[in-house]
Amino acid sequence: MAVSSSTSDLVRVSESVWEIPATARADMRVPARVFVDEEMLAEIAADPSLVQLQNVATLPGVVEAVLGMPDIHLGYGFPVGGVAATALPDGVVSPGGVGYDINCGVRLLALPLAANELGRRTEPLVHELSRAIPAGAGRHGALRLDDEEFERLLRLGPQLLVDEHGIGTAEDVERTESRGRLPGADPAAVSERARVRGSGQLGTLGSGNHFVELQRVDPILDGTTAAAFGLWEGQATVLIHSGSRGLGHQVCTDFVRRMDDVAARYGIVLPDRQLACAPLSSPEGQAYLAAMACAANFAWANRHAIAHSVREAIRSVLGNAAADGTRQVYDVAHNIAKIERHGGRELCVQRKGATRAFPAGSDEIPDLYRAVGQPVFIPGSMGTSSFVLAGEPGAMEHSFGTTCHGAGRRLSRTAARKRTTGADLRRRLAAQGIVVRCPSNSGLAEEAPFAYKDVEHVVAVVERAGLARRVAQLRPLGVVKG
Amino acid sequence: MTHRYVEHVGELELELESSSERGLFAEALTAFRELVDDAGVHGPPLRREIELPPEESALLLADWLGELIFLAETHAFVPRRVVALDLHGGGLRATVEGERGRPRHLVKAVTLEHLDVSQREGCWHGRLVLDV
């Protein structure tokens, strides 16, 4: 990794934007810009995430600036919370710029009842959610598709589950980013190994920071927009965080290696091998986009299947009316590359740990939300609030229609485990009235709230920067960890 | 032979050291086992054959762990020890003993970030970042 005195090169552009000019390093093509305040800047300077952002600024075809969201932290190649846009046709696409968990993202379901109506049924509901949704690494889901169906799922995403298996509704698909289907998906670009890894994992949560959380809306921060999203004060909600599982992990693994082999052939010199990339117009770039689209569609189908299991758990504990009245608010991707128009140009926007946040008026947003902007969900750390935001015009002006994706880690997993145990954390969360189900105590400790930045601080920064506005806060009642 | 985890905010960074290249690969298996072994109920011992085509040493180490990730995820295989390991012509052939278990906290992938295998002062050193 190239080393640079990144923080000493920072100049303040506005109240919430700092920039490392392109002149800071001979190999940078554009500035590296980060959305933070002074307090956050000190924390970010403690790890090399800004050096990683500068490395991203060296990619061929990158335009305007590479961006770091306020939840930026050290990743591999790209920092997590990093955004880069490259120009078609010959700008590059980097599989590491999307990440291994392709289309890791979040989906919010809104129940037709208030959280205080759950009463003593809160713990049984969390228990039923943990029973109904396979968690942990490699666990198999109940839904098995044959090879032909699996290929069509990779092309069609959740629409196939609605049309052919009666899972979920057409309304769910409509209320999903890109309607749950990226164009150009070609299963022929997905390796046999990736298919084997993903074939039994539809409807499974996975491990690490994936979760399903039962929540209460409290408080509403923007009444008009909350009403448009179908949210009201005190309402019970369920937030789902998962991704493309082993299939996406293997697609990324395959293409990082393939592009590592060919980057030099295209005259690409990289400061970090994990940034391996190829021109969008190249056979390797085209094949990656086709395989990544399959993985993205699989991830949307996975969260769709998990949402079905959530509804069935609600049916089991709360009855048919509660299950049938549970609506999907929206579903957003965190790790993805998409072809979008910005500033009159067609660009490949690569978001790694960042969320699309299109403002009111965008024809990419469902009609229902077009007057208020795209819903965005920002999960907090375990035991802390999450937020519902709406995209703002500033996102189109300053960040390729993008905002943050979460609280952002501030401590390593090892450091988190040194400070607490899973058992202790369970006790502390129970004392706050939060029910926890997690198959691994060490996994639980790694996700302790103090291992993350303050999510309220993160969303305050994106609001000040004009990227998104706060709509509602979601307080945890119970969590099922992967 | 030793291994240790280096502080990495987002992922897991692993450092390996051994007196031999073969030992380095065996130590990588030990580190992986520690990550996935749930110390729960295990079945009878199983043996798995792994064969990898020639690659530069660092990529071969990544491929080795990639095979262990694949076996854990798709066959619930928890590796215990290397029974035989032959590094020939830049490739690898190995027999690994383990058992069917419930691997926990699986690694998603081996990245190319900081990926390195080198020989210094009579010792083999390996370094890699795992996406978790």
Side-chain angles (χ1 to χ4, degrees), chain A residues 76-77 193 197 257 272-274 412-413 446, chain B residues 7 10 55-56 63 67 73 105 108 112-113 131:
Chain A
Y76 40 80
R193 175 163 286 220
R197 286 182 73 174
R257 288 294 290 274
D272 180 345
R273 199 172 185 179
Q274 182 62 30
S412 72
R413 288 165 172 83
E446 290 172 4
Chain B
E7 284 298 301
E55 266 296 0
E56 64 174 87
D63 287 345
E67 285 295 318
E73 188 168 307
H105 200 131
K108 293 175 190 167
L112 301 191
E113 184 89 0
D131 185 359

mmCIF file with all atom_site columns, all heavy atoms in Angstrom, chain A residues 76-77 193 197 257 272-274 412-413 446, chain B residues 7 10 55-56 63 67 73 105 108 112-113 131:
data_model
loop_
_atom_site.group_PDB
_atom_site.id
_atom_site.type_symbol
_atom_site.label_atom_id
_atom_site.label_alt_id
_atom_site.label_comp_id
_atom_site.label_asym_id
_atom_site.label_entity_id
_atom_site.label_seq_id
_atom_site.pdbx_PDB_ins_code
_atom_site.Cartn_x
_atom_site.Cartn_y
_atom_site.Cartn_z
_atom_site.occupancy
_atom_site.B_iso_or_equiv
_atom_site.pdbx_formal_charge
_atom_site.auth_seq_id
_atom_site.auth_comp_id
_atom_site.auth_asym_id
_atom_site.auth_atom_id
_atom_site.pdbx_PDB_model_num
ATOM 1   N N   . TYR A 1 76  ? -10.297 -3.236  2.531   1.00 0.00 ? 76  TYR A N   1
ATOM 2   C CA  . TYR A 1 76  ? -9.235  -3.829  1.713   1.00 0.00 ? 76  TYR A CA  1
ATOM 3   C C   . TYR A 1 76  ? -9.373  -3.202  0.343   1.00 0.00 ? 76  TYR A C   1
ATOM 4   O O   . TYR A 1 76  ? -10.455 -3.156  -0.230  1.00 0.00 ? 76  TYR A O   1
ATOM 5   C CB  . TYR A 1 76  ? -9.345  -5.355  1.669   1.00 0.00 ? 76  TYR A CB  1
ATOM 6   C CG  . TYR A 1 76  ? -10.767 -5.838  1.546   1.00 0.00 ? 76  TYR A CG  1
ATOM 7   C CD1 . TYR A 1 76  ? -11.407 -5.846  0.302   1.00 0.00 ? 76  TYR A CD1 1
ATOM 8   C CD2 . TYR A 1 76  ? -11.481 -6.219  2.658   1.00 0.00 ? 76  TYR A CD2 1
ATOM 9   C CE1 . TYR A 1 76  ? -12.717 -6.246  0.187   1.00 0.00 ? 76  TYR A CE1 1
ATOM 10  C CE2 . TYR A 1 76  ? -12.809 -6.622  2.549   1.00 0.00 ? 76  TYR A CE2 1
ATOM 11  C CZ  . TYR A 1 76  ? -13.422 -6.636  1.316   1.00 0.00 ? 76  TYR A CZ  1
ATOM 12  O OH  . TYR A 1 76  ? -14.731 -7.018  1.202   1.00 0.00 ? 76  TYR A OH  1
ATOM 13  N N   . GLY A 1 77  ? -8.304  -2.661  -0.218  1.00 0.00 ? 77  GLY A N   1
ATOM 14  C CA  . GLY A 1 77  ? -8.415  -1.925  -1.479  1.00 0.00 ? 77  GLY A CA  1
ATOM 15  C C   . GLY A 1 77  ? -9.148  -0.623  -1.236  1.00 0.00 ? 77  GLY A C   1
ATOM 16  O O   . GLY A 1 77  ? -8.562  0.368   -0.798  1.00 0.00 ? 77  GLY A O   1
ATOM 17  N N   . ARG A 1 193 ? -18.059 -22.907 -8.765  1.00 0.00 ? 193 ARG A N   1
ATOM 18  C CA  . ARG A 1 193 ? -17.783 -22.842 -7.321  1.00 0.00 ? 193 ARG A CA  1
ATOM 19  C C   . ARG A 1 193 ? -18.696 -21.827 -6.637  1.00 0.00 ? 193 ARG A C   1
ATOM 20  O O   . ARG A 1 193 ? -19.192 -22.059 -5.539  1.00 0.00 ? 193 ARG A O   1
ATOM 21  C CB  . ARG A 1 193 ? -16.306 -22.486 -7.102  1.00 0.00 ? 193 ARG A CB  1
ATOM 22  C CG  . ARG A 1 193 ? -15.954 -22.277 -5.662  1.00 0.00 ? 193 ARG A CG  1
ATOM 23  C CD  . ARG A 1 193 ? -14.462 -22.336 -5.441  1.00 0.00 ? 193 ARG A CD  1
ATOM 24  N NE  . ARG A 1 193 ? -14.003 -23.715 -5.522  1.00 0.00 ? 193 ARG A NE  1
ATOM 25  C CZ  . ARG A 1 193 ? -13.094 -24.260 -4.738  1.00 0.00 ? 193 ARG A CZ  1
ATOM 26  N NH1 . ARG A 1 193 ? -12.493 -23.533 -3.828  1.00 0.00 ? 193 ARG A NH1 1
ATOM 27  N NH2 . ARG A 1 193 ? -12.750 -25.504 -4.856  1.00 0.00 ? 193 ARG A NH2 1
ATOM 28  N N   . ARG A 1 197 ? -21.473 -22.615 -3.713  1.00 0.00 ? 197 ARG A N   1
ATOM 29  C CA  . ARG A 1 197 ? -21.503 -21.907 -2.422  1.00 0.00 ? 197 ARG A CA  1
ATOM 30  C C   . ARG A 1 197 ? -22.872 -21.278 -2.158  1.00 0.00 ? 197 ARG A C   1
ATOM 31  O O   . ARG A 1 197 ? -23.331 -21.228 -1.031  1.00 0.00 ? 197 ARG A O   1
ATOM 32  C CB  . ARG A 1 197 ? -20.403 -20.836 -2.363  1.00 0.00 ? 197 ARG A CB  1
ATOM 33  C CG  . ARG A 1 197 ? -19.001 -21.417 -2.186  1.00 0.00 ? 197 ARG A CG  1
ATOM 34  C CD  . ARG A 1 197 ? -17.937 -20.335 -2.077  1.00 0.00 ? 197 ARG A CD  1
ATOM 35  N NE  . ARG A 1 197 ? -17.963 -19.625 -0.790  1.00 0.00 ? 197 ARG A NE  1
ATOM 36  C CZ  . ARG A 1 197 ? -17.070 -18.724 -0.421  1.00 0.00 ? 197 ARG A CZ  1
ATOM 37  N NH1 . ARG A 1 197 ? -16.065 -18.414 -1.238  1.00 0.00 ? 197 ARG A NH1 1
ATOM 38  N NH2 . ARG A 1 197 ? -17.150 -18.123 0.746   1.00 0.00 ? 197 ARG A NH2 1
ATOM 39  N N   . ARG A 1 257 ? -8.979  -12.104 -8.682  1.00 0.00 ? 257 ARG A N   1
ATOM 40  C CA  . ARG A 1 257 ? -7.838  -12.865 -9.208  1.00 0.00 ? 257 ARG A CA  1
ATOM 41  C C   . ARG A 1 257 ? -7.709  -12.695 -10.720 1.00 0.00 ? 257 ARG A C   1
ATOM 42  O O   . ARG A 1 257 ? -6.600  -12.540 -11.239 1.00 0.00 ? 257 ARG A O   1
ATOM 43  C CB  . ARG A 1 257 ? -8.005  -14.345 -8.854  1.00 0.00 ? 257 ARG A CB  1
ATOM 44  C CG  . ARG A 1 257 ? -7.794  -14.625 -7.398  1.00 0.00 ? 257 ARG A CG  1
ATOM 45  C CD  . ARG A 1 257 ? -6.354  -14.354 -6.983  1.00 0.00 ? 257 ARG A CD  1
ATOM 46  N NE  . ARG A 1 257 ? -5.481  -15.340 -7.561  1.00 0.00 ? 257 ARG A NE  1
ATOM 47  C CZ  . ARG A 1 257 ? -5.223  -16.524 -6.998  1.00 0.00 ? 257 ARG A CZ  1
ATOM 48  N NH1 . ARG A 1 257 ? -5.767  -16.825 -5.829  1.00 0.00 ? 257 ARG A NH1 1
ATOM 49  N NH2 . ARG A 1 257 ? -4.417  -17.374 -7.576  1.00 0.00 ? 257 ARG A NH2 1
ATOM 50  N N   . ASP A 1 272 ? -2.050  -0.785  -4.772  1.00 0.00 ? 272 ASP A N   1
ATOM 51  C CA  . ASP A 1 272 ? -2.519  -1.826  -3.860  1.00 0.00 ? 272 ASP A CA  1
ATOM 52  C C   . ASP A 1 272 ? -3.119  -2.929  -4.717  1.00 0.00 ? 272 ASP A C   1
ATOM 53  O O   . ASP A 1 272 ? -4.030  -2.681  -5.515  1.00 0.00 ? 272 ASP A O   1
ATOM 54  C CB  . ASP A 1 272 ? -3.587  -1.213  -2.925  1.00 0.00 ? 272 ASP A CB  1
ATOM 55  C CG  . ASP A 1 272 ? -4.153  -2.216  -1.933  1.00 0.00 ? 272 ASP A CG  1
ATOM 56  O OD1 . ASP A 1 272 ? -3.954  -3.428  -2.110  1.00 0.00 ? 272 ASP A OD1 1
ATOM 57  O OD2 . ASP A 1 272 ? -4.823  -1.761  -0.987  1.00 0.00 ? 272 ASP A OD2 1
ATOM 58  N N   . ARG A 1 273 ? -2.602  -4.145  -4.539  1.00 0.00 ? 273 ARG A N   1
ATOM 59  C CA  . ARG A 1 273 ? -3.020  -5.261  -5.389  1.00 0.00 ? 273 ARG A CA  1
ATOM 60  C C   . ARG A 1 273 ? -4.524  -5.540  -5.286  1.00 0.00 ? 273 ARG A C   1
ATOM 61  O O   . ARG A 1 273 ? -5.146  -6.025  -6.220  1.00 0.00 ? 273 ARG A O   1
ATOM 62  C CB  . ARG A 1 273 ? -2.230  -6.487  -4.954  1.00 0.00 ? 273 ARG A CB  1
ATOM 63  C CG  . ARG A 1 273 ? -2.183  -7.588  -5.951  1.00 0.00 ? 273 ARG A CG  1
ATOM 64  C CD  . ARG A 1 273 ? -1.218  -8.680  -5.505  1.00 0.00 ? 273 ARG A CD  1
ATOM 65  N NE  . ARG A 1 273 ? -1.104  -9.682  -6.525  1.00 0.00 ? 273 ARG A NE  1
ATOM 66  C CZ  . ARG A 1 273 ? -0.322  -10.757 -6.421  1.00 0.00 ? 273 ARG A CZ  1
ATOM 67  N NH1 . ARG A 1 273 ? 0.410   -10.936 -5.334  1.00 0.00 ? 273 ARG A NH1 1
ATOM 68  N NH2 . ARG A 1 273 ? -0.275  -11.645 -7.397  1.00 0.00 ? 273 ARG A NH2 1
ATOM 69  N N   . GLN A 1 274 ? -5.112  -5.246  -4.124  1.00 0.00 ? 274 GLN A N   1
ATOM 70  C CA  . GLN A 1 274 ? -6.533  -5.533  -3.918  1.00 0.00 ? 274 GLN A CA  1
ATOM 71  C C   . GLN A 1 274 ? -7.415  -4.616  -4.785  1.00 0.00 ? 274 GLN A C   1
ATOM 72  O O   . GLN A 1 274 ? -8.604  -4.863  -4.941  1.00 0.00 ? 274 GLN A O   1
ATOM 73  C CB  . GLN A 1 274 ? -6.883  -5.398  -2.433  1.00 0.00 ? 274 GLN A CB  1
ATOM 74  C CG  . GLN A 1 274 ? -8.316  -5.706  -2.062  1.00 0.00 ? 274 GLN A CG  1
ATOM 75  C CD  . GLN A 1 274 ? -8.751  -7.147  -2.368  1.00 0.00 ? 274 GLN A CD  1
ATOM 76  O OE1 . GLN A 1 274 ? -7.927  -8.057  -2.332  1.00 0.00 ? 274 GLN A OE1 1
ATOM 77  N NE2 . GLN A 1 274 ? -10.028 -7.351  -2.655  1.00 0.00 ? 274 GLN A NE2 1
ATOM 78  N N   . SER A 1 412 ? -11.213 -2.875  16.136  1.00 0.00 ? 412 SER A N   1
ATOM 79  C CA  . SER A 1 412 ? -11.119 -4.181  15.491  1.00 0.00 ? 412 SER A CA  1
ATOM 80  C C   . SER A 1 412 ? -11.914 -5.204  16.288  1.00 0.00 ? 412 SER A C   1
ATOM 81  O O   . SER A 1 412 ? -12.260 -4.984  17.455  1.00 0.00 ? 412 SER A O   1
ATOM 82  C CB  . SER A 1 412 ? -9.660  -4.631  15.406  1.00 0.00 ? 412 SER A CB  1
ATOM 83  O OG  . SER A 1 412 ? -9.199  -4.985  16.696  1.00 0.00 ? 412 SER A OG  1
ATOM 84  N N   . ARG A 1 413 ? -12.173 -6.333  15.662  1.00 0.00 ? 413 ARG A N   1
ATOM 85  C CA  . ARG A 1 413 ? -12.907 -7.405  16.345  1.00 0.00 ? 413 ARG A CA  1
ATOM 86  C C   . ARG A 1 413 ? -12.111 -7.917  17.539  1.00 0.00 ? 413 ARG A C   1
ATOM 87  O O   . ARG A 1 413 ? -12.671 -8.228  18.595  1.00 0.00 ? 413 ARG A O   1
ATOM 88  C CB  . ARG A 1 413 ? -13.204 -8.528  15.341  1.00 0.00 ? 413 ARG A CB  1
ATOM 89  C CG  . ARG A 1 413 ? -14.269 -8.126  14.339  1.00 0.00 ? 413 ARG A CG  1
ATOM 90  C CD  . ARG A 1 413 ? -14.330 -9.046  13.131  1.00 0.00 ? 413 ARG A CD  1
ATOM 91  N NE  . ARG A 1 413 ? -15.481 -8.749  12.290  1.00 0.00 ? 413 ARG A NE  1
ATOM 92  C CZ  . ARG A 1 413 ? -15.517 -7.790  11.373  1.00 0.00 ? 413 ARG A CZ  1
ATOM 93  N NH1 . ARG A 1 413 ? -14.456 -7.019  11.174  1.00 0.00 ? 413 ARG A NH1 1
ATOM 94  N NH2 . ARG A 1 413 ? -16.602 -7.568  10.659  1.00 0.00 ? 413 ARG A NH2 1
ATOM 95  N N   . GLU A 1 446 ? -17.811 -9.268  19.296  1.00 0.00 ? 446 GLU A N   1
ATOM 96  C CA  . GLU A 1 446 ? -17.175 -8.497  18.218  1.00 0.00 ? 446 GLU A CA  1
ATOM 97  C C   . GLU A 1 446 ? -18.070 -7.367  17.719  1.00 0.00 ? 446 GLU A C   1
ATOM 98  O O   . GLU A 1 446 ? -17.603 -6.412  17.121  1.00 0.00 ? 446 GLU A O   1
ATOM 99  C CB  . GLU A 1 446 ? -16.832 -9.437  17.055  1.00 0.00 ? 446 GLU A CB  1
ATOM 100 C CG  . GLU A 1 446 ? -15.708 -10.395 17.383  1.00 0.00 ? 446 GLU A CG  1
ATOM 101 C CD  . GLU A 1 446 ? -15.501 -11.448 16.314  1.00 0.00 ? 446 GLU A CD  1
ATOM 102 O OE1 . GLU A 1 446 ? -16.182 -11.381 15.274  1.00 0.00 ? 446 GLU A OE1 1
ATOM 103 O OE2 . GLU A 1 446 ? -14.673 -12.331 16.528  1.00 0.00 ? 446 GLU A OE2 1
ATOM 104 N N   . GLU B 2 7   ? -3.870  -5.944  14.409  1.00 0.00 ? 7   GLU B N   1
ATOM 105 C CA  . GLU B 2 7   ? -5.030  -5.057  14.493  1.00 0.00 ? 7   GLU B CA  1
ATOM 106 C C   . GLU B 2 7   ? -5.457  -4.580  13.107  1.00 0.00 ? 7   GLU B C   1
ATOM 107 O O   . GLU B 2 7   ? -4.644  -4.065  12.332  1.00 0.00 ? 7   GLU B O   1
ATOM 108 C CB  . GLU B 2 7   ? -4.705  -3.843  15.358  1.00 0.00 ? 7   GLU B CB  1
ATOM 109 C CG  . GLU B 2 7   ? -4.700  -4.149  16.844  1.00 0.00 ? 7   GLU B CG  1
ATOM 110 C CD  . GLU B 2 7   ? -6.049  -4.622  17.354  1.00 0.00 ? 7   GLU B CD  1
ATOM 111 O OE1 . GLU B 2 7   ? -7.018  -3.872  17.217  1.00 0.00 ? 7   GLU B OE1 1
ATOM 112 O OE2 . GLU B 2 7   ? -6.134  -5.758  17.862  1.00 0.00 ? 7   GLU B OE2 1
ATOM 113 N N   . GLY B 2 10  ? -11.395 -3.165  10.087  1.00 0.00 ? 10  GLY B N   1
ATOM 114 C CA  . GLY B 2 10  ? -12.505 -3.727  9.333   1.00 0.00 ? 10  GLY B CA  1
ATOM 115 C C   . GLY B 2 10  ? -12.506 -5.239  9.246   1.00 0.00 ? 10  GLY B C   1
ATOM 116 O O   . GLY B 2 10  ? -13.553 -5.869  9.281   1.00 0.00 ? 10  GLY B O   1
ATOM 117 N N   . GLU B 2 55  ? 1.143   -21.560 -8.602  1.00 0.00 ? 55  GLU B N   1
ATOM 118 C CA  . GLU B 2 55  ? 0.915   -20.119 -8.447  1.00 0.00 ? 55  GLU B CA  1
ATOM 119 C C   . GLU B 2 55  ? 2.118   -19.545 -7.717  1.00 0.00 ? 55  GLU B C   1
ATOM 120 O O   . GLU B 2 55  ? 2.901   -20.286 -7.124  1.00 0.00 ? 55  GLU B O   1
ATOM 121 C CB  . GLU B 2 55  ? -0.337  -19.860 -7.586  1.00 0.00 ? 55  GLU B CB  1
ATOM 122 C CG  . GLU B 2 55  ? -1.623  -19.662 -8.367  1.00 0.00 ? 55  GLU B CG  1
ATOM 123 C CD  . GLU B 2 55  ? -1.619  -18.421 -9.249  1.00 0.00 ? 55  GLU B CD  1
ATOM 124 O OE1 . GLU B 2 55  ? -0.614  -17.684 -9.264  1.00 0.00 ? 55  GLU B OE1 1
ATOM 125 O OE2 . GLU B 2 55  ? -2.623  -18.201 -9.943  1.00 0.00 ? 55  GLU B OE2 1
ATOM 126 N N   . GLU B 2 56  ? 2.275   -18.248 -7.731  1.00 0.00 ? 56  GLU B N   1
ATOM 127 C CA  . GLU B 2 56  ? 3.284   -17.633 -6.876  1.00 0.00 ? 56  GLU B CA  1
ATOM 128 C C   . GLU B 2 56  ? 2.928   -17.960 -5.419  1.00 0.00 ? 56  GLU B C   1
ATOM 129 O O   . GLU B 2 56  ? 1.750   -18.196 -5.098  1.00 0.00 ? 56  GLU B O   1
ATOM 130 C CB  . GLU B 2 56  ? 3.343   -16.124 -7.104  1.00 0.00 ? 56  GLU B CB  1
ATOM 131 C CG  . GLU B 2 56  ? 2.062   -15.406 -6.728  1.00 0.00 ? 56  GLU B CG  1
ATOM 132 C CD  . GLU B 2 56  ? 2.167   -13.884 -6.812  1.00 0.00 ? 56  GLU B CD  1
ATOM 133 O OE1 . GLU B 2 56  ? 1.935   -13.323 -7.899  1.00 0.00 ? 56  GLU B OE1 1
ATOM 134 O OE2 . GLU B 2 56  ? 2.463   -13.290 -5.767  1.00 0.00 ? 56  GLU B OE2 1
ATOM 135 N N   . ASP B 2 63  ? -4.994  -19.394 -2.038  1.00 0.00 ? 63  ASP B N   1
ATOM 136 C CA  . ASP B 2 63  ? -5.803  -20.484 -2.598  1.00 0.00 ? 63  ASP B CA  1
ATOM 137 C C   . ASP B 2 63  ? -6.006  -21.606 -1.579  1.00 0.00 ? 63  ASP B C   1
ATOM 138 O O   . ASP B 2 63  ? -7.061  -22.238 -1.525  1.00 0.00 ? 63  ASP B O   1
ATOM 139 C CB  . ASP B 2 63  ? -5.133  -21.040 -3.851  1.00 0.00 ? 63  ASP B CB  1
ATOM 140 C CG  . ASP B 2 63  ? -5.238  -20.086 -5.030  1.00 0.00 ? 63  ASP B CG  1
ATOM 141 O OD1 . ASP B 2 63  ? -6.061  -19.154 -4.961  1.00 0.00 ? 63  ASP B OD1 1
ATOM 142 O OD2 . ASP B 2 63  ? -4.494  -20.274 -6.009  1.00 0.00 ? 63  ASP B OD2 1
ATOM 143 N N   . GLU B 2 67  ? -9.574  -22.912 -0.300  1.00 0.00 ? 67  GLU B N   1
ATOM 144 C CA  . GLU B 2 67  ? -10.102 -24.285 -0.313  1.00 0.00 ? 67  GLU B CA  1
ATOM 145 C C   . GLU B 2 67  ? -10.706 -24.647 1.032   1.00 0.00 ? 67  GLU B C   1
ATOM 146 O O   . GLU B 2 67  ? -11.751 -25.308 1.107   1.00 0.00 ? 67  GLU B O   1
ATOM 147 C CB  . GLU B 2 67  ? -8.973  -25.272 -0.650  1.00 0.00 ? 67  GLU B CB  1
ATOM 148 C CG  . GLU B 2 67  ? -8.571  -25.290 -2.101  1.00 0.00 ? 67  GLU B CG  1
ATOM 149 C CD  . GLU B 2 67  ? -9.685  -25.779 -3.008  1.00 0.00 ? 67  GLU B CD  1
ATOM 150 O OE1 . GLU B 2 67  ? -10.384 -26.762 -2.654  1.00 0.00 ? 67  GLU B OE1 1
ATOM 151 O OE2 . GLU B 2 67  ? -9.871  -25.157 -4.070  1.00 0.00 ? 67  GLU B OE2 1
ATOM 152 N N   . GLU B 2 73  ? -17.669 -24.184 4.278   1.00 0.00 ? 73  GLU B N   1
ATOM 153 C CA  . GLU B 2 73  ? -18.981 -23.614 3.951   1.00 0.00 ? 73  GLU B CA  1
ATOM 154 C C   . GLU B 2 73  ? -19.908 -24.619 3.286   1.00 0.00 ? 73  GLU B C   1
ATOM 155 O O   . GLU B 2 73  ? -21.108 -24.645 3.560   1.00 0.00 ? 73  GLU B O   1
ATOM 156 C CB  . GLU B 2 73  ? -18.789 -22.396 3.042   1.00 0.00 ? 73  GLU B CB  1
ATOM 157 C CG  . GLU B 2 73  ? -20.064 -21.622 2.790   1.00 0.00 ? 73  GLU B CG  1
ATOM 158 C CD  . GLU B 2 73  ? -19.791 -20.284 2.131   1.00 0.00 ? 73  GLU B CD  1
ATOM 159 O OE1 . GLU B 2 73  ? -18.974 -19.511 2.650   1.00 0.00 ? 73  GLU B OE1 1
ATOM 160 O OE2 . GLU B 2 73  ? -20.389 -20.030 1.069   1.00 0.00 ? 73  GLU B OE2 1
ATOM 161 N N   . HIS B 2 105 ? -18.497 -18.519 12.554  1.00 0.00 ? 105 HIS B N   1
ATOM 162 C CA  . HIS B 2 105 ? -17.866 -17.260 12.138  1.00 0.00 ? 105 HIS B CA  1
ATOM 163 C C   . HIS B 2 105 ? -16.967 -17.456 10.919  1.00 0.00 ? 105 HIS B C   1
ATOM 164 O O   . HIS B 2 105 ? -15.786 -17.156 10.947  1.00 0.00 ? 105 HIS B O   1
ATOM 165 C CB  . HIS B 2 105 ? -17.029 -16.704 13.299  1.00 0.00 ? 105 HIS B CB  1
ATOM 166 C CG  . HIS B 2 105 ? -16.772 -15.235 13.128  1.00 0.00 ? 105 HIS B CG  1
ATOM 167 N ND1 . HIS B 2 105 ? -16.974 -14.330 14.109  1.00 0.00 ? 105 HIS B ND1 1
ATOM 168 C CD2 . HIS B 2 105 ? -16.335 -14.533 12.072  1.00 0.00 ? 105 HIS B CD2 1
ATOM 169 C CE1 . HIS B 2 105 ? -16.690 -13.128 13.674  1.00 0.00 ? 105 HIS B CE1 1
ATOM 170 N NE2 . HIS B 2 105 ? -16.292 -13.225 12.438  1.00 0.00 ? 105 HIS B NE2 1
ATOM 171 N N   . LYS B 2 108 ? -15.275 -14.992 4.825   1.00 0.00 ? 108 LYS B N   1
ATOM 172 C CA  . LYS B 2 108 ? -15.909 -14.900 3.512   1.00 0.00 ? 108 LYS B CA  1
ATOM 173 C C   . LYS B 2 108 ? -14.907 -15.179 2.395   1.00 0.00 ? 108 LYS B C   1
ATOM 174 O O   . LYS B 2 108 ? -15.214 -15.838 1.418   1.00 0.00 ? 108 LYS B O   1
ATOM 175 C CB  . LYS B 2 108 ? -16.477 -13.497 3.294   1.00 0.00 ? 108 LYS B CB  1
ATOM 176 C CG  . LYS B 2 108 ? -17.634 -13.135 4.191   1.00 0.00 ? 108 LYS B CG  1
ATOM 177 C CD  . LYS B 2 108 ? -18.015 -11.673 3.948   1.00 0.00 ? 108 LYS B CD  1
ATOM 178 C CE  . LYS B 2 108 ? -18.995 -11.191 5.000   1.00 0.00 ? 108 LYS B CE  1
ATOM 179 N NZ  . LYS B 2 108 ? -19.129 -9.718  4.979   1.00 0.00 ? 108 LYS B NZ  1
ATOM 180 N N   . LEU B 2 112 ? -6.422  -9.867  -1.400  1.00 0.00 ? 112 LEU B N   1
ATOM 181 C CA  . LEU B 2 112 ? -5.029  -9.692  -1.835  1.00 0.00 ? 112 LEU B CA  1
ATOM 182 C C   . LEU B 2 112 ? -4.345  -8.563  -1.054  1.00 0.00 ? 112 LEU B C   1
ATOM 183 O O   . LEU B 2 112 ? -3.189  -8.255  -1.297  1.00 0.00 ? 112 LEU B O   1
ATOM 184 C CB  . LEU B 2 112 ? -4.975  -9.376  -3.340  1.00 0.00 ? 112 LEU B CB  1
ATOM 185 C CG  . LEU B 2 112 ? -5.584  -10.406 -4.295  1.00 0.00 ? 112 LEU B CG  1
ATOM 186 C CD1 . LEU B 2 112 ? -5.207  -10.076 -5.740  1.00 0.00 ? 112 LEU B CD1 1
ATOM 187 C CD2 . LEU B 2 112 ? -5.132  -11.811 -3.952  1.00 0.00 ? 112 LEU B CD2 1
ATOM 188 N N   . GLU B 2 113 ? -5.083  -7.943  -0.131  1.00 0.00 ? 113 GLU B N   1
ATOM 189 C CA  . GLU B 2 113 ? -4.554  -6.836  0.669   1.00 0.00 ? 113 GLU B CA  1
ATOM 190 C C   . GLU B 2 113 ? -3.394  -7.348  1.535   1.00 0.00 ? 113 GLU B C   1
ATOM 191 O O   . GLU B 2 113 ? -3.558  -8.314  2.283   1.00 0.00 ? 113 GLU B O   1
ATOM 192 C CB  . GLU B 2 113 ? -5.674  -6.289  1.564   1.00 0.00 ? 113 GLU B CB  1
ATOM 193 C CG  . GLU B 2 113 ? -5.292  -5.077  2.378   1.00 0.00 ? 113 GLU B CG  1
ATOM 194 C CD  . GLU B 2 113 ? -5.548  -3.785  1.613   1.00 0.00 ? 113 GLU B CD  1
ATOM 195 O OE1 . GLU B 2 113 ? -6.014  -3.846  0.466   1.00 0.00 ? 113 GLU B OE1 1
ATOM 196 O OE2 . GLU B 2 113 ? -5.282  -2.717  2.178   1.00 0.00 ? 113 GLU B OE2 1
ATOM 197 N N   . ASP B 2 131 ? -11.467 -11.411 4.777   1.00 0.00 ? 131 ASP B N   1
ATOM 198 C CA  . ASP B 2 131 ? -12.743 -10.699 4.873   1.00 0.00 ? 131 ASP B CA  1
ATOM 199 C C   . ASP B 2 131 ? -13.684 -11.524 5.754   1.00 0.00 ? 131 ASP B C   1
ATOM 200 O O   . ASP B 2 131 ? -13.936 -12.690 5.463   1.00 0.00 ? 131 ASP B O   1
ATOM 201 C CB  . ASP B 2 131 ? -13.350 -10.519 3.481   1.00 0.00 ? 131 ASP B CB  1
ATOM 202 C CG  . ASP B 2 131 ? -14.620 -9.673  3.513   1.00 0.00 ? 131 ASP B CG  1
ATOM 203 O OD1 . ASP B 2 131 ? -15.029 -9.257  4.611   1.00 0.00 ? 131 ASP B OD1 1
ATOM 204 O OD2 . ASP B 2 131 ? -15.192 -9.440  2.448   1.00 0.00 ? 131 ASP B OD2 1
#
